[in-house]
């Protein structure tokens, strides 16, 4: 029987799935051996004869194949393939091991426009836009919110991938600052609210954009426009934002009557911040006698049950509200007494609570100790809060979560109450205390072991008690010695505007300068500046005791004294009588107006700079230069500074350095609810009546872009701009010129490309 020939069929099976291959057909041909005998492997295998010659031939072929497969790879050839062979119709990429593979040719093509930029992750683009927004809106920036929106639109058009993220950054926080320009009024044929109308049209037409909006800043109320009509326009925009969280820079008042703006806010389930500016209700104004309205500060009438229930129902849908601000105008109240407490209970996510001028009947010690766990608590002019109530509140378990505590004119009476607050609030990081009268030490606690005041977690301390303008009080001495004794190991910033003897300045790290270059020119160039709080520019009262590293203290009570300073006994009672706290008499109100409310940081910086310059005249170390013969060649002093070198506490007297965004020197650096509600935050360019007798010069014609309304303008003697309508321009706005070419010649096209209607540099305020 003839042997069956072996047929090799082409296959396309990958290398991993190929069956064991047999020898190629070329090897099946007989070849001449050394003994001149020819035979084939196939015939030997078929015949089954196991001869010596057959075994030798098989071994020879196997060894030759093994040696070929095991050849090392030559340089530049690459790794040798497995035992698969390239044949006609076989798998691609297989070649004989003795063949050199063809080189792979790579061609560098030019990337298309936006191709490399599209490879960036979306998180990187979000960070780029966030930093760009911070550059535009940070304090001290020459740009404004309008420039930020214009540049964000330009970024959206720069690349296709940037469109999604730029649109989200543009509509997530909408800031409409200032009024419309003449071109906008002409385009929309309206006198006010043109941008709000266009924004409302966009949000209603595109729901994908409407769900992006998180915060909205409407323009301020234009002059000559009704409050109700403008509030209704803002309410229509709020209704177009289903995920709205904050309405910033716009604070309408609430008089317990139906208003669309509050009804619209009550329907936003994701609202996180609400500001209530309460006014007397219509029933209170009608039933309240005129004599009571003149002599009493707070309203005596209660709200109607319908009005109280309406106010409470507003909060039923705010499950995500984290910040609540309640401020009562003169005559406003909250009744019944449990209304505010029930309102707070309706907010399960509340973390920050700001109460300002709440009547004693609506918020007192009973409500204070029943507050839920909070992170920030601010009490300003709340007459129902007493010192025992604060001490009891500090010991409650719910108060352990407080991180920021602000007490503005609560009038804490004793130093032990402050010590209890600092000791029991274990999470406290920021403590702000502003009051007119200094707390005293009880007579039975004259023996003090330092540190008497202390907190392991406190990092920022604002201590402003302008009671004795020319001398340090006993409370100041106790606090200063507690700091020097290590009672505040985590303290990093210390703001004490009323520091007439430099006790706290000597405990902080030394500074080269404290005042700013503009401080010396703000008072008309006088060398001696009196602050009204006793701070003077000269340093004649500066004692040499302050040149040491740390001052020496002697504990004592209300009439205690410390080395280098003395605290005289108070000329008036340490605290006002009860009728003053209730402010029910005209004498109490007059006393409240005559007493200093807070220190001025401008004068505090001048006084601190004067103490620093006085300390530089007294070196701490003297260097004697002696030649080789022992003669004195030179003698000079070094180390003339004020402070403690090893201290990690920074002495700050500026609102920005203290971390209070939006604070002013006149307000002591803190941002209160009154500053937020009644301040313009830099939006207004003109305010107040025009000065008379100041040599103001009126300009003819109309100043383009000088005013939001385009009124004619002039200049007054102090550098302001006076308008024809009795208004004074107090600050310079932004017109977008910071982004143009600043060379000698400004291109007209470049100027028109970046110019916009002049608007104020509005910055969001952060309550202290």
């Amino acid at each position: 029987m003839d042997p069956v020939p072996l047929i090799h069929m082409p296959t396309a099976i990958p290398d991993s799935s190929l069956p064991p291959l047999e020898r190629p057909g070329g090897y099946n041909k007989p070849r001449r051996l050394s003994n001149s005998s020819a035979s084939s492997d196939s015939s030997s295998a078929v015949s089954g004869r196991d001869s010596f010659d057959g075994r030798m031939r098989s071994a020879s072929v196997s060894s030759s194949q093994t040696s070929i497969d095991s050849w090392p790879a030559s340089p530049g050839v690459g790794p040798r393939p497995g035992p698969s062979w390239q044949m006609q119709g076989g798998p691609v990429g297989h070649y004989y091991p003795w063949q050199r593979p063809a080189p792979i040719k790579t061609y560098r093509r030019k990337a298309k426009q936006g191709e490399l930029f599209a490879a960036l992750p979306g998180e990187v683009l979000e960070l780029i836009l966030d930093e760009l927004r911070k550059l535009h809106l940070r304090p001290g920036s020459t740009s404004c919110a309008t420039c930020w929106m214009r540049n964000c639109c330009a970024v959206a058009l720069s690349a296709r991938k940037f469109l999604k993220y730029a649109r989200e950054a543009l509509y997530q926080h909408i800031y409409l600052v200032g009024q419309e320009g003449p071109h906008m009024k002409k385009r929309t044929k309206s006198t006010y609210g043109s941008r709000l109308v266009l924004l409302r049209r966009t949000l209603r037409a595109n729901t994908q954009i409407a769900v992006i909006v998180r915060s909205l800043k409407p323009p301020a109320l234009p002059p000559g426009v009704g409050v109700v009509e403008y509030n209704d326009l803002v309410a229509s925009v709020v209704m177009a934002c289903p995920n709205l969280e904050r309405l910033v820079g716009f604070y309408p008042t609430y008089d317990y009557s139906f208003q669309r703006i509050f009804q619209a806010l009550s329907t936003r389930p994701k609202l996180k911040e609400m500001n209530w500016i309460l006014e007397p209700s219509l029933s209170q104004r009608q039933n309240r006698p005129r004599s009571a309205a003149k002599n009493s500060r707070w309203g005596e009438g209660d709200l109607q049950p319908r009005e109280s229930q309406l106010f409470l129902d507003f909060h039923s849908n705010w499950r995500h509200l984290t910040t609540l601000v309640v401020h009562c105008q003169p005559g406003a109240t909250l009744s019944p007494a449990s209304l505010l407490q029930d309102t707070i209970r309706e907010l399960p996510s509340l973390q920050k609570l700001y109460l300002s001028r709440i009547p004693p009947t609506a918020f007192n010690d009973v409500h204070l100790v029943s507050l839920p766990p909070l992170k920030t608590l601010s009490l300003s002019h709340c007459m129902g809060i007493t010192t025992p109530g604060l001490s009891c509140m500090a010991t409650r378990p719910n108060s352990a979560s407080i991180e920021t505590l602000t007490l503005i004119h609560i009038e804490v009476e004793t130093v032990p109450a402050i010590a209890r607050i600092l000791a029991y609030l274990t999470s406290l990081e920021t403590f702000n205390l502003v009051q007119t009268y200094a707390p005293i030490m009880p007579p039975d606690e004259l023996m003090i072991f330092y540190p008497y005041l202390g907190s392991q977690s406190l990092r920022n301390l604002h201590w402003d008690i302008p009671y004795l303008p020319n001398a340090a009080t006993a409370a100041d001495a106790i606090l200063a010695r507690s700091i020097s004794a290590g009672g505040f190991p985590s303290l990093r910033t210390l703001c004490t505007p009323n520091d007439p003897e430099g006790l706290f300045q000597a405990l902080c790290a030394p500074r080269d300068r404290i005042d700013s270059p503009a401080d010396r020119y703000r008072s008309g160039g006088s060398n001696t500046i009196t602050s009204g709080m006793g701070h003077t520019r000269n340093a004649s009262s500066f004692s040499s005791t302050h040149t040491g590293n740390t001052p020496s203290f002697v504990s004592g009570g209300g009439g205690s004294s410390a080395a280098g300073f003395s605290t005289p006994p108070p000329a008036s009672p340490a605290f006002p009588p009860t009728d003053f706290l209730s402010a029910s008499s005209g004498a109490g109100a007059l006393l409240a107006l005559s007493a200093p409310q807070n220190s001025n940081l401008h004068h505090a910086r001048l006084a601190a700079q004067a103490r620093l310059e006085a300390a530089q005249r007294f070196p701490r170390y003297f260097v004697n230069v002696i030649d080789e013969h022992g003669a004195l060649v030179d003698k000079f002093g070094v180390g003339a500074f004020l402070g403690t070198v090893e201290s990690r506490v920074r002495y700050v007297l500026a609102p920005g350095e203290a971390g209070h965004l939006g604070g002013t020197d006149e307000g002591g650096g803190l941002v209160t609810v009154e500053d937020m509600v009644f301040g313009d935050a830099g939006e207004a360019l003109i305010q107040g009546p025009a000065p008379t007798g100041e040599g103001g010069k009126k300009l003819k014609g109309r100043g383009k872009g000088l005013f939001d309304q385009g009124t004619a303008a002039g200049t007054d003697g102090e550098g302001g701009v006076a308008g024809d309508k009795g208004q004074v321009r107090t600050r310079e706005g932004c017109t977008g010129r910071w982004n143009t070419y600043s060379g000698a010649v400004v291109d007209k096209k470049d100027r028109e490309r970046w110019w916009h209607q002049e608007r104020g540099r509005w910055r969001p305020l952060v309550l202290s």
Side-chain angles (χ1 to χ4, degrees):
M1 183 176 179
D2 296 335
V4 179
L6 299 179
I7 302 175
H8 297 273
M9 300 297 294
T11 179
I13 303 177
D15 293 346
S16 59
S17 59
L18 286 175
L21 299 178
E22 299 183 9
R23 295 171 60 194
Y27 283 89
N28 291 331
K29 297 179 180 180
R31 69 175 182 174
R32 188 175 299 277
L33 300 178
S34 59
N35 56 358
S36 302
S37 62
S39 179
S40 64
D41 254 349
S42 58
S43 60
S44 299
V46 173
S47 61
R49 291 179 298 178
D50 188 13
S51 62
F52 176 77
D53 296 336
R55 290 196 300 268
M56 289 299 294
R57 287 195 299 270
S58 300
S60 176
V61 173
S62 300
S63 61
S64 62
Q65 181 178 355
T66 304
S67 61
I68 292 174
D69 293 340
S70 60
W71 281 349
S74 302
V77 176
R80 293 293 181 181
S84 58
W85 308 93
Q86 183 182 17
M87 293 168 291
Q88 184 177 3
V92 180
H94 296 265
Y95 52 89
Y96 291 105
W98 54 81
Q99 291 180 342
R100 183 182 183 91
I104 300 176
K105 297 182 180 180
T106 58
Y107 299 95
R108 296 185 60 183
R109 65 178 182 85
K110 185 178 181 181
K112 297 181 181 180
Q113 184 178 3
E115 183 178 1
L116 298 178
F117 186 81
L120 292 176
E123 292 79 1
V124 176
L125 303 182
E126 291 177 355
L127 291 176
I128 293 174
L129 291 171
D130 187 49
E131 292 297 327
L132 179 62
R133 177 175 172 269
K134 291 179 181 179
L135 289 175
H136 280 279
L137 302 180
R138 66 181 180 181
S141 174
T142 57
S143 179
C144 65
T146 304
C147 295
W148 150 245
M149 292 188 295
R150 289 159 60 94
N151 287 355
C152 192
C153 292
V155 169
L157 299 176
S158 61
R160 183 180 298 273
K161 188 173 183 179
F162 237 143
L163 176 61
K164 172 185 175 182
Y165 303 99
R167 177 182 294 175
E168 184 176 354
L170 177 62
Y171 285 96
Q172 189 173 13
H173 304 285
I174 301 176
Y175 296 150
L176 302 180
V177 181
Q179 305 303 324
E180 287 75 10
H183 62 286
M184 179 65 70
K185 295 179 181 179
K186 183 178 180 180
R187 172 188 172 187
T188 58
K189 298 181 181 180
S190 60
T191 57
Y192 71 94
S194 302
R195 288 175 294 171
L196 289 176
V197 173
L198 296 177
L199 175 63
R200 181 183 60 187
R201 182 188 306 173
T202 302
L203 298 179
R204 288 178 177 178
N206 195 335
T207 57
Q208 295 180 355
I209 297 180
V211 297
I212 299 176
V213 182
R214 294 294 183 271
S215 63
L216 172 64
K217 195 289 176 187
L221 180 66
V225 179
V227 178
V228 179
E229 292 80 2
Y230 192 73
N231 290 349
D232 293 346
L233 177 60
V234 177
S236 63
V237 181
V238 171
M239 292 299 295
C241 306
N243 296 329
L244 186 68
E245 297 178 356
R246 290 176 176 86
L247 184 65
V248 297
F250 186 76
Y251 310 102
T253 58
Y254 179 68
D255 59 353
Y256 300 96
S257 62
F258 177 79
Q259 299 183 31
R260 292 183 179 179
I261 180 64
F262 297 103
Q263 182 65 25
L265 291 174
S266 65
T267 60
R268 303 301 92 185
K270 295 186 179 181
L271 196 68
K272 291 187 177 181
E273 180 179 341
M274 183 60 195
N275 304 295
W276 289 106
I277 313 301
L278 303 179
E279 288 188 348
S281 63
L282 180 61
S283 59
Q284 286 181 313
R285 293 193 297 266
Q286 292 177 352
N287 300 331
R288 186 182 181 190
R290 294 184 178 180
S291 58
K294 293 182 180 180
N295 299 329
S296 179
R297 192 174 183 178
W298 311 109
E300 297 179 357
D302 295 336
L303 299 175
Q304 299 294 330
R306 175 183 56 83
E307 298 171 343
S308 303
Q309 187 63 34
L310 179 62
F311 180 79
L312 184 62
D313 292 342
F314 281 140
H315 304 77
S316 60
N317 196 29
W318 294 335
R319 315 304 297 176
H320 301 278
L321 194 74
T322 59
T323 303
L324 179 64
V325 180
V326 182
H327 172 77
C328 289
Q329 298 278 50
T333 185
L334 289 168
S335 64
S338 61
L339 179 58
L340 183 57
Q341 185 177 3
D342 296 339
T343 301
I344 296 176
R345 290 176 180 174
E346 292 287 337
L347 308 174
S349 303
L350 187 64
Q351 298 180 359
K352 301 179 181 180
L353 180 61
Y354 300 89
L355 302 178
S356 175
R357 300 190 182 275
I358 307 298
T361 57
F363 189 79
N364 48 39
D365 294 339
V366 178
H367 306 93
L368 180 64
V369 297
S370 62
L371 290 176
L374 301 172
K375 291 186 178 181
T376 300
L377 177 61
S378 176
L379 304 176
S380 176
H381 296 88
C382 295
M383 300 302 176
I385 305 301
T386 62
T387 302
L390 290 173
S391 301
C392 184
M393 181 271 299
T395 58
R396 302 285 295 179
N398 290 344
S399 303
S401 61
I402 296 179
E403 299 177 358
T404 301
L405 179 62
T406 302
L407 303 176
I408 300 179
H409 294 290
I410 302 299
E411 305 299 342
V412 184
E413 298 178 357
T414 60
V415 178
I418 300 178
R420 191 172 293 107
I421 292 174
L422 296 175
Y424 281 93
L425 300 183
T426 56
S427 301
L428 190 64
E429 296 183 359
T430 302
F431 181 52
N432 304 317
L433 179 65
V434 179
Q435 62 184 43
T436 305
Y437 300 93
I440 61 175
M441 285 294 298
D444 55 346
E445 296 190 16
L446 294 180
M447 297 300 297
I448 301 177
F449 298 95
Y450 291 96
Y452 185 78
L453 301 174
S455 175
Q456 297 295 323
S457 59
L458 192 67
R459 299 183 59 86
N460 308 307
L461 177 60
H462 185 98
W463 182 275
D464 186 9
I465 306 177
Y467 174 55
L468 296 177
N470 298 320
T473 62
D476 295 338
I478 295 174
L479 177 61
R481 185 163 183 179
S482 299
I483 295 176
S484 63
F488 301 88
S490 302
L491 188 63
R492 293 298 178 267
T493 60
L494 177 62
C495 181
T496 55
N498 188 63
D499 188 17
E501 306 241 354
L503 294 180
F504 302 103
Q505 187 178 2
L507 295 174
C508 300
R511 295 186 57 178
D512 185 27
R513 292 198 67 88
I514 296 180
D515 62 342
S516 61
D519 287 340
R520 65 188 67 180
Y521 303 107
R522 290 177 58 178
S523 58
S526 176
N527 293 329
T528 303
I529 303 173
T530 304
S531 66
M533 256 49 104
H535 300 305
T536 56
R537 188 68 176 87
N538 56 29
S540 59
S541 61
F542 185 82
S543 174
S544 61
T545 309
H546 297 92
T547 60
N549 289 336
T550 56
S552 303
F553 301 94
V554 178
S555 63
S560 63
S561 60
F565 74 94
S566 61
T567 304
S572 58
F575 287 91
T578 308
D579 58 347
F580 168 72
L581 294 179
S582 60
S584 59
S585 62
L590 182 61
L591 180 60
L593 294 177
S594 61
Q597 298 298 315
N598 52 260
S599 301
N600 192 320
L601 291 183
H602 171 220
H603 304 295
R605 288 194 297 269
L606 294 179
Q609 183 64 28
R611 294 190 296 266
L612 179 60
E613 294 175 357
Q616 292 176 353
R617 305 191 192 104
F618 302 95
R620 303 194 181 195
Y621 312 101
F622 290 92
V623 179
N624 297 327
V625 181
I626 302 176
D627 59 4
E628 62 275 7
H629 302 290
L632 182 63
V633 178
D634 192 8
K635 179 180 180 181
F636 57 91
V638 295
F641 59 89
L642 178 60
T644 305
V645 177
E646 61 272 12
S647 177
R648 293 184 294 178
V649 183
R650 179 174 175 82
Y651 191 69
V652 298
L653 290 175
E657 294 179 343
H660 306 295
L661 298 179
T664 59
D665 293 340
E666 294 76 11
L670 297 180
V671 182
T672 60
V673 180
E674 288 93 338
D675 299 333
M676 181 186 68
V677 175
F678 303 107
D680 57 2
E683 182 176 7
L685 297 179
I686 52 177
Q687 55 180 293
T692 57
E694 297 290 341
K697 180 181 179 181
K698 299 290 184 178
L699 296 180
K700 297 181 180 180
R702 304 177 66 86
K704 180 180 180 181
L706 290 179
F707 297 93
D708 291 339
Q709 292 80 15
T711 56
T715 58
D716 60 5
E718 296 183 358
V721 180
D724 293 339
K725 297 183 179 180
Q727 295 176 324
V728 179
R729 182 180 179 183
T730 57
R731 60 175 64 96
E732 181 183 358
C734 177
T735 59
R737 291 292 302 276
W738 63 273
N739 206 13
T740 60
Y741 175 67
S742 59
V745 180
V746 178
D747 188 10
K748 182 179 180 180
K749 295 182 179 180
D750 191 31
R751 180 175 64 251
E752 295 178 353
R753 182 184 302 112
W754 297 107
W755 182 89
H756 64 78
Q757 178 69 24
E758 184 177 13
R759 298 187 176 97
R761 295 180 175 90
W762 177 85
R763 300 291 183 267
L765 299 180
V766 179
L767 290 176
S768 302

